[in-house]
Amino acid sequence: MRIARFSTGEGVSFGVVEGGPGEEFVSAISGHPFGQVQFTGERFPLSQVKLLAPMLPSKVVAIGRNYAEHAAELGNEVPEEPLIFMKPSTSVIGHGENIAYPTSLSDRVDYEGELAVVIGRLCREVPVERVKDVIFGYTCANDVTARDLQKKDVQFTRAKGFDTFCPLGPWIQTDLDASDLALTTTVNGEIRQSGRTSQLIHDIPALVAYVSAVMTLIPGDVILTGTPAGVGPLQIGDEVSVGIEGIGTLTNKVVSRD
């Protein structure tokens, strides 16, 4: 299922996106999508609703340098263990919302297209063989990064943590084998990144097991799995899209924050 969080102008709801391209509609569900889905009977054309970030996570845990070519392009060694850092929940926005470029603080803001894992159950110290039981689904993500600040600071918090620096969406795909999916990032329609999730150095089961050994994960938490090679700068006015096979495309425009 494709689970979306959306607004009709009269309130925010969850729903299931159905139908083919150009004919999609959202069937509203009652309550939260964790657990058994119950439809309310309301249906809305997708073109007439506003898609929001599909989840409001308590935390976003990101993985750095998890594609060998990306590590190399930035002059970094491949870490022996997953390199984890955090993005605040306030950095999350949805499909179609604007990325705010903090021009007074940064001279270079980059895109980083990624596959995001959405956690569906309260969990801690999850064995690799049980990881599939705690995953709710997958969505597209853009780990927007102030690259100059990342190089300047010892840790990644400021560079990765600005408001709007974690677009997620357009929805969550709950029925998917994410082990070998094509991932493409475009800027103004031009392909900038092209990779596959099979190129991950540490795969999804290993990442969830590793992160959950450090911290408790709760339903709705998100793990960003890393970005392939090809990262680069964004300019004000650019439109950046992250498309992942079997999920969909997340698109956001860059505007000035100042």
Side-chain angles (χ1 to χ4, degrees):
M1 287 190 295
R2 293 177 290 177
I3 300 291
R5 182 171 160 266
F6 68 96
S7 171
T8 61
E10 297 181 356
V12 175
S13 302
F14 285 98
V16 176
V17 179
E18 302 178 272
E23 299 180 350
E24 291 142 318
F25 59 91
V26 184
S27 296
I29 61 177
S30 60
H32 207 280
F34 298 131
Q36 186 174 0
V37 170
Q38 295 184 337
F39 292 97
T40 66
E42 293 183 292
R43 297 172 67 181
F44 306 93
L46 187 61
S47 60
Q48 295 181 18
V49 304
K50 176 179 174 56
L51 291 175
L52 305 173
M55 287 292 169
L56 294 177
S58 76
K59 53 186 171 291
V60 178
V61 185
I63 309 297
R65 306 172 193 168
N66 202 27
Y67 286 79
E69 291 184 2
H70 169 60
E73 73 179 346
L74 296 183
N76 295 313
E77 297 291 331
V78 174
E80 293 184 8
E81 296 180 301
L83 172 63
I84 65 175
F85 58 93
M86 305 283 285
K87 293 174 79 79
S89 59
T90 47
S91 67
V92 173
I93 58 173
H95 171 77
E97 296 187 76
N98 292 330
I99 297 168
Y101 194 128
T103 52
S104 64
L105 296 173
S106 175
D107 294 324
R108 175 164 171 170
V109 170
D110 284 12
Y111 56 82
E112 292 191 9
E114 308 200 12
L115 173 73
V117 178
V118 181
I119 299 299
R121 293 174 55 182
L122 180 72
C123 60
R124 184 170 65 91
E125 298 180 349
V126 183
V128 168
E129 61 272 14
R130 295 289 303 279
V131 164
K132 65 180 183 301
D133 297 333
V134 306
I135 293 177
F136 180 67
Y138 304 91
T139 192
C140 306
N142 191 343
D143 178 19
V144 182
T145 303
R147 191 70 69 199
D148 52 344
L149 301 184
Q150 184 184 24
K151 293 178 180 179
K152 181 179 180 180
D153 294 348
V154 175
Q155 38 69 35
F156 298 169
T157 303
R158 182 165 63 136
K160 303 280 192 174
F162 285 96
D163 291 356
T164 76
F165 269 28
C166 189
L168 298 173
W171 42 64
I172 299 168
Q173 176 59 260
T174 64
D175 185 18
L176 185 68
D177 178 358
S179 61
D180 185 25
L181 302 176
L183 185 158
T184 303
T185 304
T186 64
V187 178
N188 302 324
E190 178 182 342
I191 295 176
R192 301 289 180 84
Q193 290 182 289
S194 181
R196 302 195 68 86
T197 58
S198 56
Q199 297 170 322
L200 291 170
I201 297 168
H202 305 286
D203 64 14
I204 293 166
L207 293 179
V208 175
Y210 186 86
V211 172
S212 69
V214 176
M215 65 191 77
T216 298
L217 299 171
I218 68 174
D221 281 352
V222 169
I223 298 176
L224 307 186
T225 58
T227 194
V231 300
L234 292 167
Q235 306 298 329
I236 294 170
D238 283 347
E239 184 176 83
V240 56
S241 296
V242 179
I244 300 179
E245 179 183 6
I247 299 176
T249 301
L250 167 69
T251 298
N252 303 90
K253 189 173 181 179
V254 183
V255 301
S256 175
R257 192 183 79 164
D258 304 309

